[in-house]
Amino acid sequence: MLVVYNPADGSEVGRVAKSNAAQVKAAVDRTCAAFPEWSSKLASERSDILRRWHDSVKDDKEAFAELMCRENGKCLSEARGEIDYGLGFIEWYAEEAKRVYGDTIPTHDKNANVVVTKEAIGPVAAITPWNFPFMMITRKVATALAAGCTMVIKPAEDTPLTAFKLLEHARKAGIPEGVFEVIVGDPKEIGLILTGDPRIRKISFTGSTGVGKLLASQCAATVKKMTLELGGNAPFIVFQDANIEEAIKGLVGAKLRNSGQVCISPNRIFVQNTIFEDFVKRLKESVARIDVDQGMREDFVVGPLVNQTGFDKVVSLVEQAKAAGAKVLMGGKPHAKGGLFYEPTVLTGLQDDSPLATSEIFGPVFAIYSFKDEEEVIARANQTEFGLVAYAYTSALGRSLRLSRQLEAGMVILNSGSVGTVSIPFGGIKQSGYGREGSYYGIEEYVHVKYVLMAGAQF
Ligand code: ADP
Protein backbone atom coordinates (compact mmCIF):
# COMPACT_ATOMS: atom_id res chain seq x y z
CA MET A 1 0.00 0.00 0.00
CA LEU A 2 1.12 3.52 -0.71
CA VAL A 3 0.15 5.80 2.16
CA VAL A 4 -0.33 9.50 1.40
CA TYR A 5 0.33 12.04 4.16
CA ASN A 6 -0.78 15.64 4.54
CA PRO A 7 2.39 17.75 4.49
CA ALA A 8 0.72 20.34 6.73
CA ASP A 9 0.35 18.03 9.74
CA GLY A 10 1.57 14.56 8.84
CA SER A 11 -1.90 13.02 9.05
CA GLU A 12 -2.89 10.23 6.69
CA VAL A 13 -4.92 11.43 3.70
CA GLY A 14 -5.49 8.08 2.07
CA ARG A 15 -3.86 5.02 0.59
CA VAL A 16 -3.73 3.33 -2.76
CA ALA A 17 -2.68 -0.14 -3.80
CA LYS A 18 0.75 -0.41 -5.37
CA SER A 19 0.96 -2.36 -8.61
CA ASN A 20 3.59 -5.05 -8.91
CA ALA A 21 5.48 -5.67 -12.15
CA ALA A 22 2.85 -8.09 -13.49
CA GLN A 23 0.06 -5.59 -12.80
CA VAL A 24 2.02 -2.80 -14.49
CA LYS A 25 2.55 -5.00 -17.53
CA ALA A 26 -1.15 -5.83 -17.57
CA ALA A 27 -1.98 -2.09 -17.56
CA VAL A 28 0.43 -1.61 -20.48
CA ASP A 29 -1.26 -4.52 -22.29
CA ARG A 30 -4.66 -2.86 -21.80
CA THR A 31 -3.27 0.47 -23.05
CA CYS A 32 -1.97 -1.24 -26.19
CA ALA A 33 -5.13 -3.30 -26.74
CA ALA A 34 -7.32 -0.20 -26.55
CA PHE A 35 -5.35 1.75 -29.16
CA PRO A 36 -6.84 0.43 -32.43
CA GLU A 37 -10.41 1.22 -31.45
CA TRP A 38 -9.71 4.56 -29.78
CA SER A 39 -7.52 5.86 -32.59
CA SER A 40 -10.06 4.90 -35.23
CA LYS A 41 -12.89 6.81 -33.59
CA LEU A 42 -13.98 10.01 -35.28
CA ALA A 43 -12.23 13.04 -33.83
CA SER A 44 -15.64 14.42 -32.92
CA GLU A 45 -16.42 11.27 -30.92
CA ARG A 46 -13.20 11.58 -28.93
CA SER A 47 -13.97 15.25 -28.46
CA ASP A 48 -17.43 14.50 -27.03
CA ILE A 49 -16.00 11.99 -24.54
CA LEU A 50 -13.28 14.40 -23.41
CA ARG A 51 -15.87 17.08 -22.92
CA ARG A 52 -17.95 14.74 -20.74
CA TRP A 53 -14.83 14.11 -18.64
CA HIS A 54 -14.31 17.86 -18.35
CA ASP A 55 -17.89 18.45 -17.19
CA SER A 56 -17.86 15.59 -14.72
CA VAL A 57 -14.65 16.83 -13.07
CA LYS A 58 -15.87 20.41 -13.05
CA ASP A 59 -19.00 19.38 -11.14
CA ASP A 60 -16.75 17.92 -8.46
CA LYS A 61 -14.34 20.87 -8.29
CA GLU A 62 -14.54 21.57 -4.57
CA ALA A 63 -13.82 17.96 -3.62
CA PHE A 64 -10.77 18.00 -5.89
CA ALA A 65 -9.57 21.30 -4.39
CA GLU A 66 -9.81 19.96 -0.83
CA LEU A 67 -8.10 16.72 -1.75
CA MET A 68 -5.22 18.57 -3.43
CA CYS A 69 -4.89 20.86 -0.45
CA ARG A 70 -4.53 17.86 1.87
CA GLU A 71 -2.40 15.78 -0.45
CA ASN A 72 -0.01 18.47 -1.71
CA GLY A 73 -0.21 21.27 0.87
CA LYS A 74 -1.18 24.04 -1.55
CA CYS A 75 -3.92 26.39 -0.37
CA LEU A 76 -7.49 26.16 -1.57
CA SER A 77 -7.33 29.22 -3.81
CA GLU A 78 -4.28 27.82 -5.56
CA ALA A 79 -5.86 24.38 -5.86
CA ARG A 80 -8.97 25.93 -7.43
CA GLY A 81 -6.76 27.90 -9.81
CA GLU A 82 -4.93 24.74 -10.78
CA ILE A 83 -8.21 22.95 -11.45
CA ASP A 84 -9.40 25.74 -13.75
CA TYR A 85 -6.05 25.64 -15.53
CA GLY A 86 -6.13 21.84 -15.78
CA LEU A 87 -9.75 21.72 -16.94
CA GLY A 88 -8.76 24.23 -19.60
CA PHE A 89 -6.49 21.61 -21.16
CA ILE A 90 -9.30 19.07 -21.42
CA GLU A 91 -11.56 21.65 -23.02
CA TRP A 92 -8.83 22.94 -25.34
CA TYR A 93 -7.83 19.50 -26.59
CA ALA A 94 -11.44 18.35 -26.92
CA GLU A 95 -11.60 21.09 -29.56
CA GLU A 96 -8.08 20.62 -30.94
CA ALA A 97 -8.87 16.93 -31.61
CA LYS A 98 -10.98 18.14 -34.53
CA ARG A 99 -8.21 20.26 -36.02
CA VAL A 100 -5.34 17.85 -36.58
CA TYR A 101 -4.98 18.87 -40.20
CA GLY A 102 -2.66 17.37 -42.79
CA ASP A 103 -1.35 18.80 -46.06
CA THR A 104 -1.37 18.30 -49.75
CA ILE A 105 1.87 19.10 -51.53
CA PRO A 106 2.25 20.04 -55.21
CA THR A 107 2.99 16.78 -56.92
CA HIS A 108 6.25 15.78 -58.61
CA ASP A 109 4.38 13.21 -60.75
CA LYS A 110 1.45 14.37 -62.88
CA ASN A 111 -0.36 11.05 -62.37
CA ALA A 112 -0.11 11.24 -58.58
CA ASN A 113 -1.24 13.14 -55.54
CA VAL A 114 1.03 13.88 -52.60
CA VAL A 115 -0.80 13.83 -49.31
CA VAL A 116 0.54 14.27 -45.78
CA THR A 117 -1.55 12.93 -42.92
CA LYS A 118 -1.05 13.04 -39.18
CA GLU A 119 -1.70 9.85 -37.28
CA ALA A 120 -1.83 9.07 -33.58
CA ILE A 121 1.62 7.91 -32.60
CA GLY A 122 0.39 4.87 -30.66
CA PRO A 123 -0.03 3.78 -27.06
CA VAL A 124 1.98 6.19 -24.87
CA ALA A 125 3.00 6.64 -21.24
CA ALA A 126 3.50 9.57 -18.89
CA ILE A 127 5.27 10.11 -15.58
CA THR A 128 4.25 13.18 -13.59
CA PRO A 129 5.45 15.14 -10.54
CA TRP A 130 3.64 16.12 -7.34
CA ASN A 131 3.69 19.92 -7.60
CA PHE A 132 0.63 20.12 -9.90
CA PRO A 133 -1.15 16.83 -9.17
CA PHE A 134 -4.16 17.72 -11.34
CA MET A 135 -2.95 19.92 -14.19
CA MET A 136 0.11 17.82 -15.02
CA ILE A 137 -2.19 14.89 -15.67
CA THR A 138 -4.95 16.59 -17.65
CA ARG A 139 -2.34 18.41 -19.77
CA LYS A 140 -0.79 15.12 -20.86
CA VAL A 141 -3.83 12.83 -20.94
CA ALA A 142 -6.21 15.21 -22.73
CA THR A 143 -3.62 15.91 -25.44
CA ALA A 144 -2.79 12.25 -25.97
CA LEU A 145 -6.42 11.12 -26.05
CA ALA A 146 -7.43 13.95 -28.37
CA ALA A 147 -4.77 12.88 -30.86
CA GLY A 148 -6.05 9.29 -30.73
CA CYS A 149 -3.35 7.85 -28.47
CA THR A 150 -4.08 5.76 -25.40
CA MET A 151 -2.12 6.60 -22.25
CA VAL A 152 -0.92 4.92 -19.10
CA ILE A 153 0.23 7.33 -16.45
CA LYS A 154 2.33 7.05 -13.34
CA PRO A 155 1.67 9.93 -10.97
CA ALA A 156 4.09 10.96 -8.23
CA GLU A 157 4.04 8.90 -5.04
CA ASP A 158 3.31 12.03 -2.94
CA THR A 159 0.08 12.83 -4.80
CA PRO A 160 -1.56 9.77 -6.40
CA LEU A 161 -5.05 10.38 -4.96
CA THR A 162 -5.86 13.26 -7.31
CA ALA A 163 -4.78 11.05 -10.23
CA PHE A 164 -7.09 8.20 -9.19
CA LYS A 165 -9.97 10.63 -8.69
CA LEU A 166 -9.41 11.93 -12.23
CA LEU A 167 -9.48 8.32 -13.42
CA GLU A 168 -12.79 7.68 -11.65
CA HIS A 169 -14.36 10.61 -13.46
CA ALA A 170 -12.82 9.49 -16.75
CA ARG A 171 -14.54 6.10 -16.45
CA LYS A 172 -17.83 7.78 -15.54
CA ALA A 173 -17.50 9.98 -18.61
CA GLY A 174 -17.01 6.98 -20.90
CA ILE A 175 -13.23 6.87 -21.28
CA PRO A 176 -12.82 3.09 -21.41
CA GLU A 177 -10.35 0.84 -19.68
CA GLY A 178 -7.03 0.90 -21.49
CA VAL A 179 -7.56 4.30 -23.05
CA PHE A 180 -6.46 5.91 -19.79
CA GLU A 181 -4.78 3.88 -17.05
CA VAL A 182 -3.19 4.99 -13.77
CA ILE A 183 -0.54 2.92 -12.00
CA VAL A 184 1.60 3.46 -8.92
CA GLY A 185 4.33 1.30 -7.47
CA ASP A 186 8.09 1.29 -7.55
CA PRO A 187 8.99 4.23 -9.84
CA LYS A 188 12.24 2.72 -11.05
CA GLU A 189 10.63 -0.59 -11.91
CA ILE A 190 7.66 1.07 -13.61
CA GLY A 191 10.02 3.36 -15.52
CA LEU A 192 11.94 0.35 -16.82
CA ILE A 193 8.76 -1.45 -17.89
CA LEU A 194 7.30 1.59 -19.66
CA THR A 195 10.50 2.63 -21.42
CA GLY A 196 11.47 -0.94 -22.27
CA ASP A 197 8.20 -1.92 -23.96
CA PRO A 198 8.54 -1.45 -27.74
CA ARG A 199 4.77 -1.05 -28.11
CA ILE A 200 4.80 2.15 -26.05
CA ARG A 201 5.68 4.77 -28.67
CA LYS A 202 6.29 7.80 -26.52
CA ILE A 203 7.04 8.90 -22.98
CA SER A 204 6.01 12.29 -21.69
CA PHE A 205 7.88 13.15 -18.51
CA THR A 206 7.83 16.14 -16.18
CA GLY A 207 10.24 16.03 -13.28
CA SER A 208 13.86 16.35 -12.35
CA THR A 209 16.64 16.59 -14.90
CA GLY A 210 18.39 13.55 -13.45
CA VAL A 211 15.38 11.27 -13.88
CA GLY A 212 14.68 12.80 -17.30
CA LYS A 213 18.17 11.91 -18.49
CA LEU A 214 17.82 8.39 -17.14
CA LEU A 215 14.48 7.90 -18.92
CA ALA A 216 15.91 9.34 -22.16
CA SER A 217 18.74 6.81 -22.02
CA GLN A 218 16.26 4.00 -21.35
CA CYS A 219 14.09 5.15 -24.28
CA ALA A 220 17.04 4.99 -26.66
CA ALA A 221 16.82 1.19 -26.92
CA THR A 222 13.39 1.33 -28.56
CA VAL A 223 13.86 4.81 -30.14
CA LYS A 224 10.85 6.29 -28.39
CA LYS A 225 9.73 9.81 -28.93
CA MET A 226 9.86 11.88 -25.75
CA THR A 227 8.57 15.10 -24.31
CA LEU A 228 10.76 16.18 -21.42
CA GLU A 229 9.91 19.05 -19.14
CA LEU A 230 12.75 19.08 -16.65
CA GLY A 231 14.30 21.42 -14.13
CA GLY A 232 14.61 25.16 -14.45
CA ASN A 233 16.76 27.93 -13.01
CA ALA A 234 14.72 30.96 -13.99
CA PRO A 235 16.37 34.37 -13.97
CA PHE A 236 14.08 37.25 -13.00
CA ILE A 237 15.63 40.55 -14.07
CA VAL A 238 14.49 43.97 -12.90
CA PHE A 239 15.92 47.02 -14.69
CA GLN A 240 15.91 50.51 -13.23
CA ASP A 241 13.42 51.63 -15.89
CA ALA A 242 10.85 49.03 -14.77
CA ASN A 243 7.60 49.66 -12.96
CA ILE A 244 8.92 48.52 -9.58
CA GLU A 245 5.57 47.98 -7.96
CA GLU A 246 4.47 45.72 -10.80
CA ALA A 247 7.80 43.89 -10.73
CA ILE A 248 7.42 43.14 -7.02
CA LYS A 249 3.85 41.99 -7.51
CA GLY A 250 4.89 39.71 -10.36
CA LEU A 251 7.87 38.37 -8.44
CA VAL A 252 6.03 37.60 -5.21
CA GLY A 253 3.18 35.89 -7.07
CA ALA A 254 5.51 33.78 -9.17
CA LYS A 255 7.86 32.92 -6.31
CA LEU A 256 5.44 32.04 -3.53
CA ARG A 257 3.08 30.04 -5.69
CA ASN A 258 3.03 26.49 -4.34
CA SER A 259 5.57 27.66 -1.70
CA GLY A 260 8.15 28.09 -4.45
CA GLN A 261 7.87 24.47 -5.58
CA VAL A 262 7.38 25.20 -9.25
CA CYS A 263 9.79 24.60 -12.14
CA ILE A 264 9.14 28.11 -13.49
CA SER A 265 9.66 29.75 -10.08
CA PRO A 266 12.08 32.74 -10.22
CA ASN A 267 15.31 31.20 -8.92
CA ARG A 268 17.88 33.98 -9.44
CA ILE A 269 16.56 37.49 -8.99
CA PHE A 270 18.78 40.10 -10.67
CA VAL A 271 18.08 43.71 -9.66
CA GLN A 272 19.93 46.68 -11.19
CA ASN A 273 22.34 48.22 -8.65
CA THR A 274 20.78 51.70 -8.88
CA ILE A 275 17.44 50.47 -7.47
CA PHE A 276 18.71 47.53 -5.42
CA GLU A 277 18.23 48.87 -1.87
CA ASP A 278 14.80 50.30 -2.55
CA PHE A 279 13.65 47.14 -4.35
CA VAL A 280 14.75 44.82 -1.55
CA LYS A 281 13.08 47.00 1.10
CA ARG A 282 9.76 47.01 -0.78
CA LEU A 283 10.00 43.32 -1.52
CA LYS A 284 10.40 42.53 2.19
CA GLU A 285 7.33 44.64 3.02
CA SER A 286 5.32 42.82 0.42
CA VAL A 287 6.42 39.32 1.52
CA ALA A 288 5.78 40.17 5.19
CA ARG A 289 2.08 40.66 4.42
CA ILE A 290 1.63 37.01 3.45
CA ASP A 291 0.79 34.36 6.05
CA VAL A 292 2.37 30.96 6.39
CA ASP A 293 -0.25 28.35 7.25
CA GLN A 294 -2.00 25.13 6.29
CA GLY A 295 -3.99 25.64 3.13
CA MET A 296 -7.62 25.13 4.17
CA ARG A 297 -8.24 28.88 4.17
CA GLU A 298 -9.93 31.05 1.62
CA ASP A 299 -7.04 33.51 1.25
CA PHE A 300 -3.62 32.87 -0.27
CA VAL A 301 -1.07 31.45 2.18
CA VAL A 302 2.39 29.97 1.89
CA GLY A 303 1.94 26.30 2.75
CA PRO A 304 4.33 23.58 3.88
CA LEU A 305 6.95 22.04 1.63
CA VAL A 306 5.76 18.77 0.19
CA ASN A 307 8.00 16.30 2.03
CA GLN A 308 11.05 15.93 4.25
CA THR A 309 13.45 15.62 1.30
CA GLY A 310 12.24 18.90 -0.19
CA PHE A 311 12.36 20.59 3.21
CA ASP A 312 15.88 19.35 3.98
CA LYS A 313 17.10 20.59 0.60
CA VAL A 314 15.88 24.14 1.27
CA VAL A 315 17.37 24.12 4.77
CA SER A 316 20.70 22.94 3.44
CA LEU A 317 20.84 25.46 0.57
CA VAL A 318 20.13 28.38 2.90
CA GLU A 319 22.63 27.15 5.52
CA GLN A 320 25.33 26.85 2.86
CA ALA A 321 24.54 30.37 1.66
CA LYS A 322 24.78 31.73 5.21
CA ALA A 323 28.10 29.98 5.74
CA ALA A 324 29.39 31.55 2.52
CA GLY A 325 28.51 35.03 3.82
CA ALA A 326 25.05 35.69 2.42
CA LYS A 327 22.99 38.34 4.22
CA VAL A 328 19.64 37.04 5.48
CA LEU A 329 17.25 39.99 5.39
CA MET A 330 14.18 38.00 6.24
CA GLY A 331 13.40 34.42 7.33
CA GLY A 332 16.28 32.06 6.69
CA LYS A 333 15.08 29.23 8.90
CA PRO A 334 12.30 26.70 9.48
CA HIS A 335 9.04 28.33 10.53
CA ALA A 336 7.94 28.31 14.17
CA LYS A 337 4.90 26.26 13.13
CA GLY A 338 7.31 23.35 12.83
CA GLY A 339 6.91 20.35 10.53
CA LEU A 340 7.54 21.13 6.89
CA PHE A 341 6.86 24.87 7.10
CA TYR A 342 9.74 27.15 6.08
CA GLU A 343 9.85 30.93 6.53
CA PRO A 344 9.63 33.06 3.41
CA THR A 345 13.23 34.16 3.05
CA VAL A 346 15.04 37.07 1.43
CA LEU A 347 18.79 36.78 0.91
CA THR A 348 21.43 38.98 -0.70
CA GLY A 349 25.21 38.94 -0.98
CA LEU A 350 25.41 35.65 -2.86
CA GLN A 351 27.92 34.64 -5.52
CA ASP A 352 26.71 33.38 -8.91
CA ASP A 353 28.33 30.02 -8.24
CA SER A 354 26.71 29.47 -4.84
CA PRO A 355 24.53 26.36 -4.58
CA LEU A 356 21.46 28.60 -4.19
CA ALA A 357 22.22 30.08 -7.60
CA THR A 358 23.02 26.86 -9.40
CA SER A 359 20.32 24.57 -7.96
CA GLU A 360 16.57 24.67 -8.39
CA ILE A 361 15.59 25.91 -4.89
CA PHE A 362 11.98 24.67 -4.76
CA GLY A 363 11.15 26.68 -1.65
CA PRO A 364 10.00 30.19 -0.63
CA VAL A 365 13.47 31.73 -0.92
CA PHE A 366 14.15 34.99 -2.74
CA ALA A 367 17.86 34.99 -3.68
CA ILE A 368 18.71 38.47 -4.94
CA TYR A 369 21.76 39.50 -6.97
CA SER A 370 22.81 42.96 -8.09
CA PHE A 371 23.91 43.84 -11.64
CA LYS A 372 25.28 46.91 -13.44
CA ASP A 373 24.14 46.74 -17.05
CA GLU A 374 22.16 44.83 -19.62
CA GLU A 375 25.00 43.02 -21.32
CA GLU A 376 26.32 41.76 -17.99
CA VAL A 377 22.96 40.54 -16.74
CA ILE A 378 22.05 38.73 -19.95
CA ALA A 379 25.35 36.84 -19.81
CA ARG A 380 24.80 35.95 -16.15
CA ALA A 381 21.17 34.96 -16.72
CA ASN A 382 22.26 32.58 -19.48
CA GLN A 383 25.03 31.08 -17.39
CA THR A 384 23.10 27.92 -16.55
CA GLU A 385 22.56 24.56 -18.18
CA PHE A 386 18.81 25.16 -17.87
CA GLY A 387 16.56 27.12 -20.21
CA LEU A 388 12.93 26.83 -19.22
CA VAL A 389 11.77 30.38 -18.57
CA ALA A 390 13.32 33.84 -18.12
CA TYR A 391 11.49 36.87 -16.75
CA ALA A 392 12.41 40.54 -17.11
CA TYR A 393 10.84 43.84 -16.18
CA THR A 394 11.72 46.94 -18.23
CA SER A 395 9.79 49.74 -19.87
CA ALA A 396 12.26 50.13 -22.74
CA LEU A 397 11.04 48.67 -26.01
CA GLY A 398 14.47 48.16 -27.57
CA ARG A 399 15.69 46.38 -24.47
CA SER A 400 12.60 44.14 -24.46
CA LEU A 401 13.38 43.12 -28.00
CA ARG A 402 17.02 42.39 -27.19
CA LEU A 403 16.03 40.38 -24.12
CA SER A 404 13.46 38.37 -26.05
CA ARG A 405 16.15 37.42 -28.57
CA GLN A 406 19.12 36.91 -26.27
CA LEU A 407 17.71 35.18 -23.21
CA GLU A 408 18.22 31.44 -23.61
CA ALA A 409 14.87 29.97 -22.59
CA GLY A 410 11.89 28.29 -24.16
CA MET A 411 9.70 30.99 -22.63
CA VAL A 412 10.59 34.67 -22.14
CA ILE A 413 8.13 36.63 -20.03
CA LEU A 414 8.42 40.41 -20.11
CA ASN A 415 6.69 42.61 -17.53
CA SER A 416 4.62 39.79 -16.07
CA GLY A 417 5.11 37.04 -13.54
CA SER A 418 2.52 34.80 -15.08
CA VAL A 419 3.51 32.15 -17.62
CA GLY A 420 1.01 29.36 -17.87
CA THR A 421 -2.22 29.18 -19.76
CA VAL A 422 -3.55 26.49 -22.06
CA SER A 423 -3.02 28.38 -25.28
CA ILE A 424 0.77 28.80 -25.15
CA PRO A 425 3.56 26.32 -25.97
CA PHE A 426 5.02 25.45 -22.56
CA GLY A 427 8.51 23.96 -22.53
CA GLY A 428 12.21 24.52 -22.35
CA ILE A 429 15.50 24.41 -24.19
CA LYS A 430 19.01 23.28 -23.12
CA GLN A 431 18.81 20.78 -20.24
CA SER A 432 15.29 21.88 -19.33
CA GLY A 433 14.12 19.46 -21.99
CA TYR A 434 12.32 19.40 -25.32
CA GLY A 435 8.83 19.19 -26.71
CA ARG A 436 5.96 21.53 -25.94
CA GLU A 437 2.71 21.17 -24.01
CA GLY A 438 -0.41 23.28 -24.52
CA SER A 439 -1.53 25.24 -27.60
CA TYR A 440 -1.68 23.69 -31.06
CA TYR A 441 1.99 22.73 -30.72
CA GLY A 442 1.12 20.34 -27.90
CA ILE A 443 -0.88 17.89 -29.97
CA GLU A 444 1.91 17.65 -32.57
CA GLU A 445 3.88 15.72 -29.95
CA TYR A 446 1.36 12.87 -30.14
CA VAL A 447 1.13 12.42 -33.92
CA HIS A 448 3.50 11.30 -36.58
CA VAL A 449 3.58 12.65 -40.06
CA LYS A 450 2.84 10.20 -42.87
CA TYR A 451 3.58 11.04 -46.50
CA VAL A 452 1.35 9.22 -48.95
CA LEU A 453 2.08 9.16 -52.66
CA MET A 454 -1.05 8.18 -54.58
CA ALA A 455 0.36 7.36 -57.97
CA GLY A 456 -0.91 5.31 -60.88
CA ALA A 457 -3.79 7.48 -61.99
CA GLN A 458 -4.13 7.60 -65.78
CA PHE A 459 -5.16 10.88 -67.42
P1 ADP B 1 11.05 15.40 -7.73
O1 ADP B 1 12.43 15.56 -7.21
O2 ADP B 1 10.38 16.67 -8.04
O3 ADP B 1 10.19 14.46 -6.96
P2 ADP B 1 11.47 13.35 -9.66
O4 ADP B 1 12.07 13.49 -11.03
O5 ADP B 1 12.20 12.50 -8.69
O6 ADP B 1 11.25 14.81 -9.18
O7 ADP B 1 10.00 12.80 -9.76
C1 ADP B 1 9.12 13.05 -10.84
C2 ADP B 1 8.44 11.77 -11.21
O8 ADP B 1 9.43 10.85 -11.66
C3 ADP B 1 7.70 11.08 -10.08
O9 ADP B 1 6.50 10.53 -10.57
C4 ADP B 1 8.66 9.98 -9.66
O10 ADP B 1 8.04 8.87 -9.08
C5 ADP B 1 9.24 9.60 -11.00
N1 ADP B 1 10.53 8.89 -10.92
C6 ADP B 1 11.52 9.04 -10.02
N2 ADP B 1 12.55 8.19 -10.29
C7 ADP B 1 12.20 7.47 -11.38
C8 ADP B 1 12.81 6.44 -12.17
N3 ADP B 1 14.01 5.97 -11.87
N4 ADP B 1 12.12 5.96 -13.23
C9 ADP B 1 10.91 6.43 -13.54
N5 ADP B 1 10.27 7.40 -12.86
C10 ADP B 1 10.91 7.91 -11.79
Side-chain angles (χ1 to χ4, degrees):
M1 273 290 167
L2 180 63
V3 184
V4 180
Y5 298 99
N6 183 337
D9 58 14
S11 62
E12 184 179 324
V13 183
R15 42 184 73 197
V16 290
K18 284 189 187 177
S19 301
N20 60 27
Q23 289 164 323
V24 174
K25 285 182 188 149
V28 172
D29 288 344
R30 290 195 294 278
T31 306
C32 297
F35 178 72
E37 192 182 333
W38 182 254
S39 57
S40 60
K41 275 192 190 306
L42 292 176
S44 59
E45 291 173 323
R46 291 197 298 270
S47 174
D48 285 345
I49 296 174
L50 283 171
R51 193 167 278 285
R52 284 207 294 274
W53 186 30
H54 169 276
D55 294 347
S56 170
V57 173
K58 192 173 177 185
D59 284 344
D60 205 13
K61 179 172 167 181
E62 271 314 291
F64 269 103
E66 282 178 25
L67 176 62
M68 284 156 70
C69 177
R70 289 190 290 130
E71 179 173 55
N72 166 282
K74 63 178 66 191
C75 62
L76 277 180
S77 61
E78 277 201 84
R80 290 181 189 130
E82 182 185 335
I83 293 167
D84 291 341
Y85 183 21
L87 280 172
F89 285 106
I90 309 182
E91 186 180 45
W92 179 274
Y93 284 107
E95 288 304 308
E96 207 61 23
K98 296 180 264 183
R99 301 192 185 106
V100 183
Y101 301 137
D103 274 317
T104 58
I105 292 179
T107 179
H108 56 281
D109 170 351
K110 69 180 168 48
N111 292 324
N113 258 5
V114 174
V115 176
V116 175
T117 59
K118 290 183 181 165
E119 292 180 343
I121 197 166
V124 299
I127 297 177
T128 57
W130 46 263
N131 57 351
F132 291 92
F134 182 100
M135 179 280 288
M136 287 288 178
I137 291 176
T138 58
R139 180 157 81 178
K140 294 183 195 301
V141 175
T143 320
L145 268 50
C149 298
T150 51
M151 180 174 257
V152 52
I153 194 156
K154 190 206 81 59
E157 291 62 49
D158 288 302
T159 57
L161 302 174
T162 304
F164 280 101
K165 197 167 168 62
L166 278 165
L167 179 70
E168 240 175 76
H169 281 275
R171 292 286 182 269
K172 246 174 50 190
I175 296 179
E177 199 178 77
V179 172
F180 171 31
E181 293 279 335
V182 179
I183 43 170
V184 289
D186 173 19
K188 200 165 163 215
E189 181 180 66
I190 294 177
L192 282 167
I193 294 172
L194 297 178
T195 55
D197 195 313
R199 297 169 301 169
I200 295 289
R201 293 312 312 143
K202 177 198 167 84
I203 302 275
S204 177
F205 172 73
T206 301
S208 62
T209 302
V211 175
K213 286 179 184 176
L214 175 72
L215 293 172
S217 71
Q218 291 174 191
C219 280
T222 52
V223 195
K224 279 193 214 323
K225 187 167 174 165
M226 294 193 88
T227 294
L228 292 174
E229 201 258 278
L230 309 177
N233 186 353
F236 189 106
I237 309 168
V238 186
F239 288 92
Q240 64 182 12
D241 59 27
N243 178 329
I244 305 296
E245 204 174 309
E246 282 297 313
I248 289 176
K249 208 166 106 194
L251 172 61
V252 172
K255 180 79 227 182
L256 293 184
R257 182 168 176 225
N258 216 13
S259 306
Q261 305 168 110
V262 185
C263 53
I264 53 171
S265 188
N267 214 53
R268 294 168 298 150
I269 301 150
F270 295 102
V271 179
Q272 199 153 18
N273 53 5
T274 44
I275 55 164
F276 193 83
E277 296 302 324
D278 179 47
F279 184 89
V280 171
K281 181 172 154 280
R282 288 161 71 176
L283 173 66
K284 274 168 48 191
E285 287 163 9
S286 176
V287 175
R289 284 195 285 272
I290 298 170
D291 256 4
V292 174
D293 202 356
Q294 58 81 26
M296 285 284 187
R297 290 175 32 166
E298 286 301 313
D299 54 343
F300 174 81
V301 287
V302 175
L305 297 176
V306 76
N307 56 30
Q308 197 63 44
T309 311
F311 181 83
D312 292 345
K313 180 181 173 193
V314 174
V315 170
S316 149
L317 285 173
V318 173
E319 288 310 316
Q320 287 177 69
K322 285 197 238 173
K327 271 203 327 207
V328 179
L329 304 177
M330 189 175 182
K333 56 183 187 309
H335 196 276
K337 281 189 186 305
L340 300 173
F341 289 93
Y342 197 85
E343 287 191 6
T345 294
V346 178
L347 287 163
T348 60
L350 292 150
Q351 300 300 313
D352 282 3
D353 61 357
S354 84
L356 258 186
T358 55
S359 338
E360 199 174 23
I361 305 171
F362 255 52
V365 179
F366 294 81
I368 313 185
Y369 308 78
S370 144
F371 72 92
K372 278 206 206 63
D373 60 41
E374 183 184 314
E375 197 181 336
E376 171 207 325
V377 80
I378 291 177
R380 288 170 66 192
N382 288 339
Q383 218 172 65
T384 164
E385 68 266 30
F386 296 109
L388 189 57
V389 62
Y391 305 84
Y393 275 75
T394 173
S395 58
L397 183 60
R399 174 172 283 154
S400 296
L401 193 57
R402 289 190 295 277
L403 289 165
S404 70
R405 291 180 183 172
Q406 292 171 25
L407 287 170
E408 295 171 1
M411 302 178 284
V412 173
I413 307 296
L414 301 173
N415 299 314
S416 172
S418 173
V419 178
T421 171
V422 300
S423 54
I424 57 100
F426 189 101
I429 59 171
K430 296 162 83 176
Q431 292 187 34
S432 289
Y434 42 75
R436 293 294 178 266
E437 296 186 294
S439 77
Y440 71 86
Y441 293 98
I443 204 159
E444 297 285 326
E445 305 278 330
Y446 290 91
V447 295
H448 53 226
V449 164
K450 182 180 273 179
Y451 149 55
V452 181
L453 177 70
M454 299 171 69
Q458 296 302 323
F459 294 105

